[in-house]
Amino acid sequence: DVKVTQSSRYLVKRTGEKVFLECVQDMDHENMFWYRQDPGLGLRLIYFSYDVKMKEKGDIPEGYSVSREKKERFSLILESASTNQTSMYLCASSPPATESLTYGYTFGSGTRLTVV
Amino acid sequence: DQQVKQNSPSLSVQEGRISILNCDYTNSMFDYFLWYKKYPAEGPTFLISISSIKDKNEDGRFTVFLNKSAKHLSLHIVPSQPGDSAVYFCAARRRNNFNKFYFGSGTKLNVKP
């Protein structure tokens, strides 16, 4: 069974802390994505990566950075956590565009981050 | 500005009846559309897709319709079952854009027994 695994289901962090969210996929997918889900706003793309060490900004990259040192792992970093970053964070992966037309992304179960 | 919109935050339907979830988009460069289903505390799971060269795709109880002239797609679930109760997201991909999808805000479907 193919999987995208997010290291934590729930996290509580203090304002100003540096926060690391980890995501690992076992499908040998080239593309990996970080989204946040907020009520009424749906899923918004923070960053994505289409290859090792490659990254692209999504729609809301401010306050975040990412790291992709290995193909299977994509990390989201909150440089200095703030209360408006309290959200559900979802990691996803997919093969290259030409291969993924039938099913899109595979998502992880999400990390509920609360910043206090 | 959201390029994919789901204007109904919630929908309630009786078991056995049809559920119709709607989605509108603004970008004519979108070439592929998907619907995802999400249960609480789980990640979204793929449900059904449609290419922009088609106007209908059917998979069991689920059918997606695409009206390109209106920039509108809909998901029909017939018959609806209580296990279909979830949040449904539509998503659209812009041609030649690293397989990046734009998501709507979701519609919470409640199927009453």
Side-chain angles (χ1 to χ4, degrees):
Chain A
D1 193 18
V2 295
K3 271 190 173 177
V4 175
T5 304
Q6 295 183 232
S7 54
S8 304
R9 292 299 297 270
Y10 300 95
L11 275 179
V12 180
K13 296 292 182 180
R14 294 193 180 277
T15 301
E17 276 192 78
K18 190 168 186 176
V19 181
F20 293 86
L21 302 183
E22 305 289 343
C23 175
V24 177
Q25 51 99 358
D26 64 3
M27 295 163 284
D28 201 35
H29 282 169
E30 283 76 7
N31 299 328
M32 295 189 76
F33 306 83
W34 275 105
Y35 284 85
R36 61 179 282 179
Q37 181 195 358
D38 299 289
L41 297 176
L43 278 68
R44 293 180 294 166
L45 181 63
I46 304 170
Y47 266 97
F48 68 101
S49 169
Y50 53 92
D51 201 351
V52 175
K53 297 190 187 294
M54 305 303 288
K55 60 185 179 184
E56 292 283 338
K57 292 180 180 179
D59 301 313
I60 51 164
E62 296 78 21
Y64 303 94
S65 63
V66 290
S67 173
R68 192 158 180 210
E69 297 296 319
K70 294 184 178 181
K71 190 176 185 179
E72 67 270 17
R73 187 179 295 269
F74 191 36
S75 303
L76 179 69
I77 304 154
L78 285 66
E79 298 293 342
S80 177
S82 64
T83 54
N84 63 12
Q85 292 178 310
T86 291
S87 187
M88 167 70 83
Y89 288 87
L90 290 161
C91 175
S93 73
S94 79
T98 53
E99 296 178 36
S100 61
L101 291 184
T102 54
Y103 66 90
Y105 300 164
T106 300
F107 279 92
S109 298
T111 297
R112 171 72 65 184
L113 173 67
T114 302
V115 182
V116 297
Chain B
D1 187 29
Q2 277 196 296
Q3 300 188 50
V4 178
K5 296 181 181 179
Q6 294 176 256
N7 292 317
S8 298
S10 63
L11 175 68
S12 188
V13 171
Q14 202 67 39
E15 181 180 5
R17 306 294 291 270
I18 185 171
S19 295
I20 300 176
L21 295 91
N22 294 303
C23 181
D24 297 295
Y25 61 95
T26 58
N27 195 330
S28 58
M29 294 295 289
F30 288 147
D31 70 337
Y32 207 72
F33 304 87
L34 291 86
W35 284 93
Y36 284 88
K37 176 179 179 180
K38 185 181 184 301
Y39 293 116
E42 294 183 13
T45 55
F46 169 76
L47 190 59
I48 193 168
S49 63
I50 188 166
S51 165
S52 59
I53 62 173
K54 296 188 175 182
D55 54 19
K56 177 183 174 181
N57 188 27
E58 195 170 349
D59 183 3
R61 296 185 297 112
F62 303 92
T63 303
V64 56
F65 295 92
L66 176 63
N67 182 335
K68 287 190 292 294
S69 60
K71 294 191 176 67
H72 177 84
L73 66 156
S74 60
L75 174 68
H76 293 210
I77 306 173
V78 183
S80 301
Q81 299 173 354
D84 296 329
S85 297
V87 177
Y88 290 79
F89 291 98
C90 69
R93 185 186 75 179
R94 191 158 63 91
R95 196 174 293 126
N96 298 325
N97 194 28
F98 294 110
N99 204 38
K100 186 173 85 169
F101 281 86
Y102 297 84
F103 285 80
S105 54
T107 297
K108 186 175 184 179
L109 174 66
N110 179 35
V111 180
K112 296 178 286 187

